[in-house]
Amino acid sequence: MHEGRGFAAERGASALGAMEVHADLRPILGPDLVRLDPMRIKQLQSQVVYDAIDELAKGSAQCMQLRSPLTTCAKLIDSDNTLYLSWKYDQDEGVSKLLGFAKVGRKKLFLYDAQMQTYEGEILCLLDFYVHFSAQRQGVGKAIIDYMLQNEHAQPYQLALDNPSVTLLGFMSQKFDLKKPVWQNTNFVVFDELFQVYAENGMNAKTPPEGWRRPQTPRRIGTGATDTRWLEHAISGHPSKGNAMSAPVEADQTPQGALSNRAHQAKTRKAHILSSKPLW
Ligand SMILES: CC(=O)SCCNC(=O)CCNC(=O)[C@H](O)C(C)(C)COP(=O)(O)OP(=O)(O)OC[C@H]1O[C@@H](n2cnc3c(N)ncnc32)[C@H](O)[C@@H]1OP(=O)(O)O
């Protein structure tokens, strides 16, 4: 426990329970489900909260066997991503407990459907999602995602998942009835429903959503020339804010990290998931 900072950051299988802060965070965080965009995080000006979020995010990295966390407050402040945090104040114990979070951001993705038809659009991406192990399977994750979707004005099938774990795919199947993941070569996963809704609506493929323009040069993805469609449900965002996929990849670049970086993890996880019998 770091007494000077007023929080008890447990690691691994400690008995402390969810990430605990020996302080009442209600005046700082407000409600127990909270949307923290970069501006809000900057305005918090609370090292205790920053440290607590960073510790919780380390738990996520440990779970995914990553050498360094994908989420830190410092990185968030410098990004276009938003953190949805679940926490609670325990009056009896006088501690605030950080239970879990989802980090989302909008990215411009090129996607294949199951028939290898390509699509292009800005998609709401689930980039990091974690509930402390002591609070898992109690509805916290579902509450975070519901709150996030409501705030982002999105439906579950409109989400792209960044390198999802088997648990996350099971969660999406069980809680949102999304059972047909379509793996992309970028290691994002979208769901078949995304393309079905597009097809059912019979939209004119030549008409991009508002705020979009077609690529200036024809794109070639993989080996074949592609006929790119616009995703009807692409969410318009802020192209000027650098949501493009050319943004730096958060991966451990050291030689030791090479084997455990996210891309490597994703490849092995994807191979494992695709070669396994479905778990749900
Ligand atoms: C894009 C990415 O971030 S990929 C990484 C996703 N994160 C992880 O895999 C980290 C480890 N897992 C977790 O942190 C959590 O289990 C989460 C975030 C996936 C879900 O949060 P929870 O609070 O447990 O979710 P919630 O209680 O709302 O729903 C539980 C459902 O999730 C799935 N689930 C959660 N834990 C498990 C588990 N250990 N084994 C199998 N399924 C599980 C099941 O579908 C479960 O439904 P059930 O309990 O009715 O069987």
Side-chain angles (χ1 to χ4, degrees), residues 126 129 131 136-139 141-142 162 165 171 174-175:
L126 184 58
F129 181 33
V131 169
Q136 286 176 14
R137 298 192 105 152
Q138 296 166 36
K142 173 75 162 52
D162 188 2
S165 61
F171 171 90
Q174 186 139 4
K175 302 297 171 192

Side-chain angles (χ1 to χ4, degrees), residues 142-199:
K142 173 75 162 52
I144 295 173
I145 296 297
D146 283 345
Y147 180 69
M148 179 276 289
L149 290 169
Q150 185 193 335
N151 273 270
E152 301 290 335
H153 308 291
Q155 298 296 319
Y157 70 84
Q158 292 173 312
L159 270 182
L161 315 177
D162 188 2
N163 298 339
S165 61
V166 177
T167 313
L168 178 56
L169 292 173
F171 171 90
M172 296 303 287
S173 166
Q174 186 139 4
K175 302 297 171 192
F176 298 108
D177 204 27
L178 293 167
K179 299 179 189 297
K180 290 186 187 161
V182 185
W183 286 87
Q184 306 295 312
N185 53 13
T186 51
N187 290 319
F188 277 92
V189 164
V190 290
F191 292 94
D192 200 40
E193 284 78 355
L194 185 69
F195 306 114
Q196 276 177 26
V197 169
Y198 177 93

